């Protein structure tokens, strides 16, 4: 990953942006491993799958367990995918890689959507919360 970005550029990223980059790097390695297996370049496929597995472990290590049940669920999912990547590497099974690829794509898409929503108009979010509070107070008064 440091090949794409300088070390100082990575240090300037937020944890959320680094997570998004890790998802992208994992997707790239999985896609390239599928291509390598298809071309019978098993040594390269092995390296790509090892990198994908390393990324999944890094994602799991970076979880904030104070976030609640979602962190626990992500931990289980990351471990499941890491196990599947090892199995796919052992058998050079493209179908298993595709399963993991689909999960990572879904996670990446959801993560990027959550980041966009977080960076949306913060004043609008505050107004929405205030309106919900006022509505609740109004309902209690009646």
């Amino acid at each position: 990953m440091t090949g794409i970005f300088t070390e100082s550029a990575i240090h300037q990223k937020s944890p959320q942006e680094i997570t998004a980059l890790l998802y992208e790097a994992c997707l790239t390695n999985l896609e390239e491993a599928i291509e390598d297996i298809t071309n019978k370049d098993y040594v390269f496929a092995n390296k790509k799958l090892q990198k994908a597995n390393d990324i999944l472990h890094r994602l799991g290590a970076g979880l904030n367990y104070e976030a609640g049940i979602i962190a626990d669920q992500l931990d289980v999912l990351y471990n499941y995918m890491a196990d599947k990547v090892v199995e796919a590497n052992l058998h050079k099974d493209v179908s298993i890689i595709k399963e993991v690829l689909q999960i990572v794509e879904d996670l990446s898409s959801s993560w990027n959507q959550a980041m966009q929503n977080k960076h949306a108009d913060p004043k609008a979010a505050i107004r929405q919360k205030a309106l919900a509070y006022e509505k609740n107070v109004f309902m209690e008064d009646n």
Side-chain angles (χ1 to χ4, degrees):
M1 197 159 107
T2 54
I4 299 172
F5 299 99
T6 64
E7 201 168 315
S8 64
I10 291 174
H11 288 296
Q12 294 173 1
K13 300 277 184 205
S14 71
Q16 294 81 11
E17 291 170 321
I18 291 172
T19 299
L21 290 173
L22 287 170
Y23 282 137
E24 290 303 316
C26 189
L27 288 169
T28 299
N29 280 291
L30 292 170
E31 290 166 349
E32 290 177 0
I34 290 170
E35 188 175 320
D36 290 337
I37 290 171
T38 302
N39 294 332
K40 299 190 184 318
D41 292 329
Y42 300 124
V43 172
F44 291 116
N46 176 54
K47 289 179 182 179
K48 304 285 176 39
L49 291 171
Q50 286 178 358
K51 286 181 183 178
N53 198 298
D54 183 51
I55 291 167
L56 291 168
H57 285 289
R58 289 174 191 261
L59 285 164
L63 288 172
N64 176 2
Y65 289 96
E66 293 175 9
I69 188 91
I70 189 74
D72 294 329
Q73 292 172 336
L74 281 171
D75 185 44
V76 169
L77 190 56
Y78 291 147
N79 287 328
Y80 170 80
M81 290 188 296
D83 290 345
K84 285 298 198 179
V85 168
V86 169
E87 180 184 346
N89 198 4
L90 181 65
H91 301 291
K92 301 301 185 251
D93 189 331
V94 170
S95 66
I96 297 172
I97 300 170
K98 287 181 179 179
E99 175 190 351
V100 174
L101 184 65
Q102 182 60 56
I103 296 168
V104 177
E105 284 174 344
D106 291 345
L107 287 170
S108 179
S109 175
S110 297
W111 186 262
N112 289 327
Q113 184 65 43
M115 282 182 27
Q116 286 177 355
N117 290 346
K118 183 179 180 189
H119 294 299
D121 184 11
K123 291 179 183 177
I126 292 170
R127 282 193 301 272
Q128 187 176 12
K129 288 179 183 177
L131 287 172
Y133 173 76
E134 290 171 3
K135 182 178 177 183
N136 189 34
V137 169
F138 178 73
M139 300 277 279
E140 288 177 0
D141 287 343
N142 288 334

